[in-house]
Each structure stands twice: as C-alpha cells, then as structure tokens.
Amino acid sequence: MPSFDTVCEPNLVEVKNAVDNTAKEIGTRFDFKGTSAAIEIKDKEITLFGDAEFQLGQVEDILTNKLAKRNVDVRFLDKGKVEKMGGDKVKQVVKVRSGIESEQAKKVTKLIKESKLKLQAAIQGDAVRVTGAKRDDLQQAMALIRKEISDLPLSFNNFRD
C-alpha cells in the first residue's frame, strides 16, 4: 500500500551554523561594539540578547538572513516574548519547531478526509502518515496539504510504493 509521512523537521545542523554565523557577524559589526548583543543556542532554543528591543530586532534580522541563505524556513521559529533582565538588558527566547503538534495534525487529517480522495490519514507521534491505493491520489494529497496549510513548513518523506 503506497504511503508517505507528513513531517515538520528543521535541519538542525544548518540552524546551528546560521546561529554561529550570526554570532560572528554580531562580533564584527560596528553598531554592536560595546553592547550586550549576543545570540546562543541550546538544544532547540535560540536565545537573543540585547540592550533594547530595537537591538533584538536587528539580531533577529541577521539570524533570519543567515537562515534564508542556508535554505532553512523561518516558519520553524516560534518567537517568545521579550523579557527584561537586570538593568536595561533584554532577552528573547526563540524555539525551533520540530514535529507536528496535535492540533495541526488533526487539521491535516481532517483536510485529507474532507478532500474526498480515497486515502487514510493517521497521526503517528509527531508525524501524519497518509496511505492510499493510488500514487496519484497521494500526490494530490501532498499538493493539497502544501496549499491549505501554509503556516507550517511541512515536508514529506518516507514515500513508499
């Protein structure tokens, strides 16, 4: 039975490289000299540091540019609130999304069921497996998912005949 998995997986190696490149650029840029602007990554959390919200915005812009150059979709980033630290310093935690949350997975399965294609969709952990008798139906389902769910950077893997 042909099937494929719908997943939301960032390339974490490229994300780490983009964060490292951003840190290098922050260290060399003239407008960041003598400030507390910095960026660091732990597991799947990127922390941005700065003297003001404006500076956090600049660091975030550099990060999004570096991610775009490395073909990492910026929709993987889930930005948190700006938090005040001691003095005038601020920080922001940006989480890197990995896996499809249950609400989004339900949305994908509902979309496939309403499409009238002869397919079955099943939630398996943080992925959605779609199975059907015809490859053409599966390809139509991929196109439909890409079109309808644009807020998540979904990809398809494990395509089997």
Side-chain angles (χ1 to χ4, degrees):
M1 192 89 144
S3 68
F4 69 87
D5 290 342
T6 306
V7 294
C8 179
E9 292 177 350
N11 187 343
L12 292 174
V13 173
E14 292 295 347
V15 170
K16 185 174 181 345
N17 289 340
V19 169
D20 291 343
N21 287 347
T22 303
K24 272 186 199 170
E25 187 169 328
I26 289 170
T28 59
R29 274 187 41 175
F30 177 75
D31 54 339
F32 289 133
K33 290 275 191 246
T35 65
S36 65
I39 185 169
E40 61 183 39
I41 186 168
K42 284 188 183 128
D43 295 327
K44 293 180 181 173
E45 283 190 351
I46 302 169
T47 310
L48 310 174
F49 299 98
D51 288 338
E53 285 189 42
F54 173 73
Q55 201 170 51
L56 280 183
Q58 288 181 318
V59 173
E60 191 178 315
D61 286 345
I62 296 170
L63 177 63
T64 54
N65 287 339
K66 299 295 182 191
L67 287 171
K69 282 182 184 173
R70 297 189 162 276
N71 294 326
V72 176
D73 199 326
V74 292
R75 293 180 293 178
F76 282 117
L77 302 181
D78 190 16
K79 297 174 189 130
K81 290 189 296 194
V82 175
E83 303 168 19
K84 292 219 180 271
M85 293 168 48
D88 296 343
K89 315 238 183 298
V90 289
K91 77 173 184 176
Q92 183 177 24
V93 176
V94 179
K95 291 186 174 129
V96 181
R97 285 186 196 164
S98 182
I100 301 175
E101 295 158 10
S102 62
E103 299 242 341
Q104 297 290 346
K106 288 176 186 173
K107 206 173 175 182
V108 171
T109 55
K110 183 180 177 191
L111 180 69
I112 293 203
K113 286 182 178 150
E114 290 176 350
S115 69
K116 304 291 185 215
L117 294 169
K118 293 183 179 174
L119 299 171
Q120 291 82 38
I123 300 170
Q124 295 186 333
D126 56 0
V128 178
R129 176 158 292 163
V130 180
T131 57
K134 296 180 183 172
R135 277 169 75 188
D136 293 342
D137 288 347
L138 292 176
Q139 289 172 340
Q140 283 179 321
M142 283 181 188
L144 181 71
I145 291 170
R146 272 199 189 102
K147 183 179 153 206
E148 294 295 322
I149 300 177
S150 59
D151 58 335
L152 271 181
L154 296 175
S155 58
F156 308 103
N157 65 11
N158 214 4
F159 194 88
R160 301 221 167 114
D161 261 339

